[in-house]
Amino acid sequence: MTDVLTQVLTDLAAEGDRLERLVAGLDDDGWRTPTPAPGWDVATQVAHLAWTDEVAVKAATDKEAWDAVVLEAIADPEGYVDAQALAIAREPGLLERWHRARADLRATLVAMPQGQKMPWFGPPMSATSMATARLMETWAHGLDVHEGLGAPVVDTDRIRHVAHLGVRTRNFAFSVHGLDAPAEEFRIDLVAPSGDVWSWGPEEAAQTLTGTAGDFCRLVTQRVHRADTDLVATGADVDRWLDIAQAFAGQPGKGRSPR
């Protein structure tokens, strides 16, 4: 493993462990607690994570199984992913299933040869890219579970991976909205939970973004409305980006309404 993959996998494990601890003692009513995602309760959130981890393993190791998933997704592009989560959420042993899926995914990514990429619903992904994407989803869906259960969330510097993904997907966010990506780079300075400043882009860039990393990560995962963040955009292109930013593959969602 590269040092980067090792760190991402370590942080992914910590993020998953945090969510597992939160839900481990829930009774049936607790698992059925609604979350901010319409129609998704706590069980559905965890089921989605389990299903996606399982599918990632198939994508990396079993072409026939992966091709079958792709064909099913093509047959129902708008509802397939939700249907899988809703179905698994009603099966017994959900937490144990997700725990196994997490372990299987880690073993799969560790075993991938350096430089090899696996197919996915968007562009093919390296082991590090997949681990980063899984961390992003685990963190984001974990926010939904915390909010549904009324549990406070303390951000950690593990969200640096989410922030990096949010920055790297800038051009994708424009393209998925049918817009041309800006030609120039932005300067992005985000204050980490630890108080450090994380920066991307040239210092002399004319267009800039500043704010807290937590708010930026929530925005690019559509867990907060832009109006409820402390993010400050300087430049028309950055301003437009904050309206459409998304760090996840697929079509843009509706996002959250302002508080």
Side-chain angles (χ1 to χ4, degrees), residues 71-82 251:
L71 290 175
E72 291 173 358
I74 291 173
D76 183 15
E78 299 298 325
Y80 177 66
V81 173
D82 282 11
Q251 294 302 306

Side-chain angles (χ1 to χ4, degrees), residues 9-104:
L9 288 174
T10 298
D11 290 343
L12 171 59
E15 206 61 48
D17 289 346
R18 178 169 72 167
L19 181 53
E20 278 202 22
R21 288 193 298 270
L22 179 63
V23 302
L26 295 178
D27 58 16
D28 289 344
D29 289 341
W31 281 103
R32 299 305 165 197
T33 302
T35 68
W40 281 34
D41 55 20
V42 170
T44 311
Q45 298 280 354
V46 174
H48 173 71
L49 294 175
W51 176 82
T52 312
D53 287 347
E54 291 170 352
V55 170
V57 171
K58 292 177 182 178
T61 64
D62 190 335
K63 183 179 184 302
E64 184 176 347
W66 165 249
D67 288 345
V69 169
V70 171
L71 290 175
E72 291 173 358
I74 291 173
D76 183 15
E78 299 298 325
Y80 177 66
V81 173
D82 282 11
Q84 302 311 302
L86 290 167
I88 294 172
R90 288 164 175 76
E91 297 176 1
L94 173 58
L95 190 57
E96 292 77 9
R97 178 170 178 170
W98 182 42
H99 190 85
R100 289 193 303 271
R102 291 176 58 202
D104 290 346

Side-chain angles (χ1 to χ4, degrees), residues 165-180:
L165 191 58
V167 172
R168 289 286 302 273
T169 53
R170 183 200 74 165
N171 290 356
F172 168 75
F174 278 89
S175 66
V176 79
H177 284 84
L179 302 171
D180 292 331

Side-chain angles (χ1 to χ4, degrees), residues 84 94-95 121 134 160 177 231 240-241 247 255:
Q84 302 311 302
L94 173 58
L95 190 57
F121 296 104
R134 299 311 306 132
R160 180 164 190 161
H177 284 84
L231 300 173
R240 180 63 174 140
W241 179 40

Side-chain angles (χ1 to χ4, degrees), residues 155-169:
D155 287 340
T156 73
D157 278 10
R158 294 193 295 268
I159 64 173
R160 180 164 190 161
H161 306 294
V162 183
H164 182 70
L165 191 58
V167 172
R168 289 286 302 273
T169 53

